[in-house]
């Protein structure tokens, strides 16, 4: 009856503490702990986010779009501000450890909720499909919102001056650019899949290639504008 997420956390702490006594398994853990975090993101993030968008109920999602956008954009921004307020005022961290901007960046990271365990509990409790769709849709969109807030805040934190109009421009590029790129890749993937007859493996391969390529193009290829790979993945998943 214990949720698996905290058990994984506890097991990870124990293995990290005692890895020297675990032989070959401990050496493997130590090697994995030194993997480039960007590599882990590139391997696991695209498929996880695409899967959530791909399995979302589009008809319910479309009806709840306004509520989802309210929860995923302004509410996430307010959540990041409240976390920053708690760090600076309630917990009393000084500017030597956390400036207001650094606290806001930390708040943006924490506001990116993972709903896997929440949705599992809601299904066990017999919650309605509309409520499940609302939580899942908010989780999908808020990934992109948090990444956008983190990107903008980190640029300012690094000392790059960003007037309000530039912040709005970057926000629109990240969001709208991601949506457009996801739609383009989705249309190309669908056209390609429609030309295939009775070859399920090739269909799966095209879907996987489209998923990873849209993230790679958005995050790494210079298209002249800044595009959010997460928003592009959500857009691709929902379209397909």
């Amino acid at each position: 009856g214990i949720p698996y997420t905290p058990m994984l956390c506890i097991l990870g702490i124990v293995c990290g503490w005692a890895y020297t006594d675990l032989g070959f398994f401990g050496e493997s853990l130590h090697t994995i702990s030194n993997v480039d975090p960007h590599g882990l993101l590139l391997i696991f993030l695209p498929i996880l986010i695409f899967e959530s968008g791909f399995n979302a109920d589009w008809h319910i999602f479309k009806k709840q779009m306004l509520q989802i956008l309210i929860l995923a954009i302004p509410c996430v921004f307010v959540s990041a501000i409240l976390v920053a307020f708690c760090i600076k005022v309630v917990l009393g961290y000084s500017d030597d450890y956390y400036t207001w901007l650094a606290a806001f960046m930390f708040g943006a990271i924490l506001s990116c909720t993972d709903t896997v365990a929440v949705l599992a509990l809601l299904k066990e409790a017999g919650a309605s499909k509309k409520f499940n769709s609302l939580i899942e849709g908010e989780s999908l969109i808020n990934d992109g919102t948090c990444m956008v807030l983190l990107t903008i805040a980190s640029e300012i934190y690094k000392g790059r001056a960003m007037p309000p109009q530039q912040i709005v421009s970057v926000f629109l590029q990240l969001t709208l650019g991601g949506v457009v790129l996801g739609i383009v890749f989705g249309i190309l993937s669908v056209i390609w899949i429609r030309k295939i007859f009775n070859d399920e493996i090739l269909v799966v391969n095209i879907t996987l290639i489209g998923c990873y390529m849209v993230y790679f193009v958005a995050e790494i290829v210079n298209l002249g504008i800044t595009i959010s790979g997460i928003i592009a993945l959500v857009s691709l998943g929902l379209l397909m």
Side-chain angles (χ1 to χ4, degrees), residues 7-216:
M7 288 304 298
L8 281 173
C9 179
I10 293 169
L11 185 64
I13 292 171
V14 171
C15 290
W17 172 65
Y19 78 92
T20 53
D21 302 321
L22 298 177
F24 176 74
F25 181 65
E27 292 177 11
S28 302
L29 289 177
H30 184 64
T31 303
I32 292 170
S33 69
N34 292 319
V35 170
D36 184 355
H38 293 91
L40 289 177
L41 277 180
L42 190 59
I43 293 167
F44 295 112
L45 190 65
I47 202 68
L48 287 171
I49 294 177
F50 174 80
E51 184 271 339
S52 296
F54 188 76
N55 288 323
D57 190 318
W58 168 245
H59 299 288
I60 298 177
F61 187 91
K62 185 168 57 175
K63 288 181 180 178
Q64 296 179 325
M65 182 67 77
L66 180 61
Q67 296 97 312
I68 288 171
L69 290 177
I70 290 171
L71 285 172
I73 299 177
C75 288
V76 167
F77 182 71
V78 171
S79 174
I81 292 174
L82 289 175
V83 171
F85 178 82
C86 290
I87 289 173
K88 292 295 293 179
V89 178
V90 179
L91 299 179
Y93 279 96
S94 66
D95 286 345
D96 294 334
Y97 197 85
Y98 265 125
T99 63
W100 274 100
L101 190 56
F104 178 79
M105 288 172 60
F106 188 59
I109 294 169
L110 291 186
S111 299
C112 186
T113 54
D114 175 24
T115 58
V116 175
V118 176
L119 286 175
L121 290 172
L122 287 175
K123 288 176 182 177
E124 288 180 12
S128 68
K129 194 171 183 179
K130 286 185 178 180
F131 189 61
N132 285 343
S133 178
L134 181 66
I135 300 296
E136 187 170 22
E138 189 273 338
S139 173
L140 271 174
I141 305 298
N142 82 6
D143 287 344
T145 306
C146 293
M147 187 60 76
V148 168
L149 291 178
L150 182 63
T151 301
I152 293 173
S154 64
E155 290 296 312
I156 298 173
Y157 188 78
K158 291 172 184 175
R160 297 172 186 170
M162 293 185 73
Q165 63 269 22
Q166 188 178 354
I167 292 174
V168 172
S169 173
V170 171
F171 183 82
L172 292 176
Q173 287 178 31
L174 286 165
T175 52
L176 297 181
V179 170
V180 171
L181 187 67
I183 290 172
V184 169
F185 268 81
I187 291 172
L188 292 175
S189 299
V190 169
I191 291 172
W192 197 353
I193 288 171
R194 282 178 177 171
K195 294 183 179 295
I196 296 168
F197 178 72
N198 201 23
D199 192 341
E200 293 84 357
I201 293 176
L202 187 55
V203 170
V204 172
N205 286 342
I206 292 170
T207 307
L208 280 172
I209 289 169
C211 164
Y212 279 99
M213 281 299 295
V214 73
Y215 184 78
F216 177 83

